[in-house]
Amino acid sequence: MSSPFSIAREAAAARDADDPLAPFRDRFDPPSDLYMDGNSLGPVSDDAERTLDRVVGEWRERGIEGWTEGEQPWWEYAEYLGERLAPYVGADADEVVVANSTTVNIHTLIGTFLDRVADVPARELDAPDTVEESVVDASGSVVVANELDFPTDHYAIRAQFRQRGLDPDEHLRLVESRDGRTIEREDVAAAMDDDVGILFMPTALYRSGQLFDVDALTELAHEHDALAGFDAAHTVGAVPHEFSAADVDFAVWCSYKYLNAGPGSIAGLYVNERYHGLAPALPGWWGNEKASQFDLELDYTPEASAGAWQIGTVPMLSAAPLEGSLDLLDEAGIERVREKSLELTDLLATLVDDLADAGYEYAVGTPRQGERRGGHVAVEHPDADRVSQALRERGVVVDYRPPNVVRICPAPLYVGFADVYDVAEQLREVVDSGEYESFAASEGVS
Ligand SMILES: Cc1ncc(COP(=O)(O)O)c(C=O)c1O
């Protein structure tokens, strides 16, 4: 059978030969040669394992002294990793910290800012701010989000409304999608009015991979006297950000996707420096002013940095792999990572188009323009669930997102151009062989 593809495998392989990032592949140990799920869980690297092992060794050899005597003392490890992450989001070191999980960070940041911008009945903060509350120059009791968000964001926002006696059905306003894949900026603009206190958007959508213009959305929020917050889970480590320059108010993200720090690894957060000194909605001793933390006073004083949004003790074993991952990423360079990612996703989209032209029922559900595309491609198929299962059976690790998306993530640090060609070939083969039809529709999403 003649190939449906407009590009030969040899041409793809030739690009690997010229790729300066190709050698990084050897530092990863993915469970499959075609591991395309780095937007869900990045694979382990030698570097992540090295720093995790180091911390385990310190725990064994030094015990509690690791807090002060570790190679990177554990006591300030969250701040240290915040400083290491700051360049990836374009922020000052004290505007970033690692803490909690993404969902918990949404709870505490949405809660913190709702307390200042919303008309909260009988609001009383029992922990005092150490900056003037007027630093929060926004007001409105509505949060604008969108209907294609990852659900955890809505669960957290709704809970924060309920805890303030505000009806989430009235106060969470969702921008609708026109096509079930993307959200148009004009529709976000149309949802904004004087009642909006916070615009909370993803930097990229988890299903279609649509990338948003953070600068434009932030400007839009500020024009309406609202704050701009972002869930950057699908971009940090894949797409460079400039949160400070854009004047973003706050952001959250995880480190187990493109930052390859391991399952459930510690999350990150950014809080614009003008808010440092506000008391968080979910205070805990690890966010208390560092200098007086061990005075163990019953009164809470927020640390005057993003570090205030930490809650409990830094979970060293879920933080340590991030250090090695960042060593590797620093070496690779985020600009080169983004450049190659755009080339890989472009190649994949072209090959999927070729399949569609040849009569296969595949379609690309991700925007074509590079500036609107994150790190993965949503490949649509009416039987995406069973196609995903057949691909996995063949060792092509992808995931399925209902109703019709096979998410394929060619992450640049360990995926090459020939790999992308091979994935497209597998997309073709599982249909040609009828193999996918032998799978039952899955009951849950893996
Ligand atoms: C956009 C987004 N936010 C949040 C999460 C998950 O949050 P957590 O890290 O708290 O499990 C995901 C998970 O894939 C996600 O895609």
Side-chain angles (χ1 to χ4, degrees), residues 404-419:
N404 64 344
V405 171
V406 183
R407 288 195 313 181
I408 303 183
C409 175
L413 292 171
Y414 50 87
V415 176
F417 294 91
D419 296 329

PDB file of all heavy atoms in Angstrom, residues 404-419:
ATOM      1  N   ASN A 404     -13.882  12.593  22.166  1.00  0.00           N
ATOM      2  CA  ASN A 404     -13.323  12.068  20.912  1.00  0.00           C
ATOM      3  C   ASN A 404     -11.845  12.409  20.694  1.00  0.00           C
ATOM      4  O   ASN A 404     -11.398  12.513  19.559  1.00  0.00           O
ATOM      5  CB  ASN A 404     -14.134  12.614  19.723  1.00  0.00           C
ATOM      6  CG  ASN A 404     -14.020  14.132  19.603  1.00  0.00           C
ATOM      7  OD1 ASN A 404     -13.602  14.792  20.548  1.00  0.00           O
ATOM      8  ND2 ASN A 404     -14.383  14.670  18.451  1.00  0.00           N
ATOM      9  N   VAL A 405     -11.107  12.611  21.782  1.00  0.00           N
ATOM     10  CA  VAL A 405      -9.737  13.093  21.612  1.00  0.00           C
ATOM     11  C   VAL A 405      -8.687  12.071  22.053  1.00  0.00           C
ATOM     12  O   VAL A 405      -8.747  11.539  23.167  1.00  0.00           O
ATOM     13  CB  VAL A 405      -9.531  14.416  22.397  1.00  0.00           C
ATOM     14  CG1 VAL A 405      -8.064  14.817  22.421  1.00  0.00           C
ATOM     15  CG2 VAL A 405     -10.380  15.535  21.793  1.00  0.00           C
ATOM     16  N   VAL A 406      -7.730  11.820  21.155  1.00  0.00           N
ATOM     17  CA  VAL A 406      -6.504  11.111  21.521  1.00  0.00           C
ATOM     18  C   VAL A 406      -5.476  12.224  21.714  1.00  0.00           C
ATOM     19  O   VAL A 406      -5.166  12.958  20.776  1.00  0.00           O
ATOM     20  CB  VAL A 406      -6.004  10.189  20.388  1.00  0.00           C
ATOM     21  CG1 VAL A 406      -4.765   9.408  20.843  1.00  0.00           C
ATOM     22  CG2 VAL A 406      -7.100   9.245  19.916  1.00  0.00           C
ATOM     23  N   ARG A 407      -4.999  12.387  22.951  1.00  0.00           N
ATOM     24  CA  ARG A 407      -3.995  13.438  23.177  1.00  0.00           C
ATOM     25  C   ARG A 407      -2.618  12.857  22.902  1.00  0.00           C
ATOM     26  O   ARG A 407      -2.246  11.820  23.463  1.00  0.00           O
ATOM     27  CB  ARG A 407      -4.050  13.948  24.620  1.00  0.00           C
ATOM     28  CG  ARG A 407      -5.259  14.784  24.934  1.00  0.00           C
ATOM     29  CD  ARG A 407      -5.085  15.540  26.232  1.00  0.00           C
ATOM     30  NE  ARG A 407      -4.578  14.710  27.325  1.00  0.00           N
ATOM     31  CZ  ARG A 407      -4.372  15.162  28.554  1.00  0.00           C
ATOM     32  NH1 ARG A 407      -4.595  16.437  28.851  1.00  0.00           N
ATOM     33  NH2 ARG A 407      -3.933  14.364  29.510  1.00  0.00           N
ATOM     34  N   ILE A 408      -1.865  13.553  22.069  1.00  0.00           N
ATOM     35  CA  ILE A 408      -0.530  13.065  21.722  1.00  0.00           C
ATOM     36  C   ILE A 408       0.462  14.194  21.997  1.00  0.00           C
ATOM     37  O   ILE A 408       0.359  15.281  21.440  1.00  0.00           O
ATOM     38  CB  ILE A 408      -0.463  12.640  20.245  1.00  0.00           C
ATOM     39  CG1 ILE A 408      -1.536  11.567  19.976  1.00  0.00           C
ATOM     40  CG2 ILE A 408       0.935  12.121  19.902  1.00  0.00           C
ATOM     41  CD1 ILE A 408      -1.526  11.001  18.562  1.00  0.00           C
ATOM     42  N   CYS A 409       1.408  13.898  22.883  1.00  0.00           N
ATOM     43  CA  CYS A 409       2.343  14.943  23.300  1.00  0.00           C
ATOM     44  C   CYS A 409       3.782  14.555  22.925  1.00  0.00           C
ATOM     45  O   CYS A 409       4.410  13.762  23.617  1.00  0.00           O
ATOM     46  CB  CYS A 409       2.241  15.141  24.807  1.00  0.00           C
ATOM     47  SG  CYS A 409       3.459  16.316  25.427  1.00  0.00           S
ATOM     48  N   PRO A 410       4.292  15.126  21.843  1.00  0.00           N
ATOM     49  CA  PRO A 410       5.693  14.867  21.501  1.00  0.00           C
ATOM     50  C   PRO A 410       6.591  15.828  22.291  1.00  0.00           C
ATOM     51  O   PRO A 410       6.950  16.897  21.810  1.00  0.00           O
ATOM     52  CB  PRO A 410       5.739  15.162  19.992  1.00  0.00           C
ATOM     53  CG  PRO A 410       4.584  16.076  19.714  1.00  0.00           C
ATOM     54  CD  PRO A 410       3.637  16.032  20.873  1.00  0.00           C
ATOM     55  N   ALA A 411       6.931  15.452  23.511  1.00  0.00           N
ATOM     56  CA  ALA A 411       7.715  16.352  24.371  1.00  0.00           C
ATOM     57  C   ALA A 411       9.161  16.400  23.872  1.00  0.00           C
ATOM     58  O   ALA A 411       9.794  15.350  23.705  1.00  0.00           O
ATOM     59  CB  ALA A 411       7.646  15.875  25.810  1.00  0.00           C
ATOM     60  N   PRO A 412       9.680  17.582  23.620  1.00  0.00           N
ATOM     61  CA  PRO A 412      10.937  17.756  22.886  1.00  0.00           C
ATOM     62  C   PRO A 412      12.190  17.176  23.532  1.00  0.00           C
ATOM     63  O   PRO A 412      13.166  16.917  22.853  1.00  0.00           O
ATOM     64  CB  PRO A 412      11.104  19.278  22.808  1.00  0.00           C
ATOM     65  CG  PRO A 412       9.807  19.854  23.197  1.00  0.00           C
ATOM     66  CD  PRO A 412       9.053  18.849  23.985  1.00  0.00           C
ATOM     67  N   LEU A 413      12.155  16.954  24.854  1.00  0.00           N
ATOM     68  CA  LEU A 413      13.377  16.482  25.503  1.00  0.00           C
ATOM     69  C   LEU A 413      13.614  14.987  25.290  1.00  0.00           C
ATOM     70  O   LEU A 413      14.730  14.510  25.448  1.00  0.00           O
ATOM     71  CB  LEU A 413      13.335  16.787  27.012  1.00  0.00           C
ATOM     72  CG  LEU A 413      13.404  18.272  27.364  1.00  0.00           C
ATOM     73  CD1 LEU A 413      13.130  18.478  28.852  1.00  0.00           C
ATOM     74  CD2 LEU A 413      14.776  18.853  26.994  1.00  0.00           C
ATOM     75  N   TYR A 414      12.568  14.269  24.946  1.00  0.00           N
ATOM     76  CA  TYR A 414      12.766  12.816  24.768  1.00  0.00           C
ATOM     77  C   TYR A 414      12.000  12.234  23.582  1.00  0.00           C
ATOM     78  O   TYR A 414      11.898  11.018  23.452  1.00  0.00           O
ATOM     79  CB  TYR A 414      12.416  12.049  26.068  1.00  0.00           C
ATOM     80  CG  TYR A 414      11.082  12.423  26.653  1.00  0.00           C
ATOM     81  CD1 TYR A 414       9.917  11.793  26.259  1.00  0.00           C
ATOM     82  CD2 TYR A 414      10.987  13.438  27.593  1.00  0.00           C
ATOM     83  CE1 TYR A 414       8.691  12.151  26.770  1.00  0.00           C
ATOM     84  CE2 TYR A 414       9.758  13.824  28.120  1.00  0.00           C
ATOM     85  CZ  TYR A 414       8.623  13.172  27.701  1.00  0.00           C
ATOM     86  OH  TYR A 414       7.400  13.539  28.216  1.00  0.00           O
ATOM     87  N   VAL A 415      11.423  13.104  22.752  1.00  0.00           N
ATOM     88  CA  VAL A 415      10.732  12.631  21.547  1.00  0.00           C
ATOM     89  C   VAL A 415      11.382  13.287  20.336  1.00  0.00           C
ATOM     90  O   VAL A 415      11.702  14.483  20.362  1.00  0.00           O
ATOM     91  CB  VAL A 415       9.221  12.977  21.591  1.00  0.00           C
ATOM     92  CG1 VAL A 415       8.540  12.567  20.281  1.00  0.00           C
ATOM     93  CG2 VAL A 415       8.545  12.298  22.781  1.00  0.00           C
ATOM     94  N   GLY A 416      11.578  12.500  19.296  1.00  0.00           N
ATOM     95  CA  GLY A 416      12.212  13.023  18.088  1.00  0.00           C
ATOM     96  C   GLY A 416      11.232  13.070  16.921  1.00  0.00           C
ATOM     97  O   GLY A 416      10.077  12.642  17.022  1.00  0.00           O
ATOM     98  N   PHE A 417      11.734  13.578  15.786  1.00  0.00           N
ATOM     99  CA  PHE A 417      10.890  13.734  14.601  1.00  0.00           C
ATOM    100  C   PHE A 417      10.492  12.374  14.013  1.00  0.00           C
ATOM    101  O   PHE A 417       9.356  12.183  13.596  1.00  0.00           O
ATOM    102  CB  PHE A 417      11.615  14.603  13.564  1.00  0.00           C
ATOM    103  CG  PHE A 417      11.801  16.025  14.065  1.00  0.00           C
ATOM    104  CD1 PHE A 417      12.954  16.397  14.755  1.00  0.00           C
ATOM    105  CD2 PHE A 417      10.809  16.979  13.871  1.00  0.00           C
ATOM    106  CE1 PHE A 417      13.113  17.698  15.234  1.00  0.00           C
ATOM    107  CE2 PHE A 417      10.958  18.282  14.351  1.00  0.00           C
ATOM    108  CZ  PHE A 417      12.118  18.638  15.035  1.00  0.00           C
ATOM    109  N   ALA A 418      11.437  11.441  14.002  1.00  0.00           N
ATOM    110  CA  ALA A 418      11.104  10.106  13.483  1.00  0.00           C
ATOM    111  C   ALA A 418      10.070   9.428  14.384  1.00  0.00           C
ATOM    112  O   ALA A 418       9.206   8.680  13.911  1.00  0.00           O
ATOM    113  CB  ALA A 418      12.361   9.251  13.372  1.00  0.00           C
ATOM    114  N   ASP A 419      10.139   9.708  15.689  1.00  0.00           N
ATOM    115  CA  ASP A 419       9.130   9.155  16.610  1.00  0.00           C
ATOM    116  C   ASP A 419       7.741   9.641  16.216  1.00  0.00           C
ATOM    117  O   ASP A 419       6.767   8.883  16.245  1.00  0.00           O
ATOM    118  CB  ASP A 419       9.403   9.590  18.056  1.00  0.00           C
ATOM    119  CG  ASP A 419      10.715   9.063  18.603  1.00  0.00           C
ATOM    120  OD1 ASP A 419      11.119   7.965  18.188  1.00  0.00           O
ATOM    121  OD2 ASP A 419      11.327   9.746  19.451  1.00  0.00           O
TER     122      ASP A 419
END
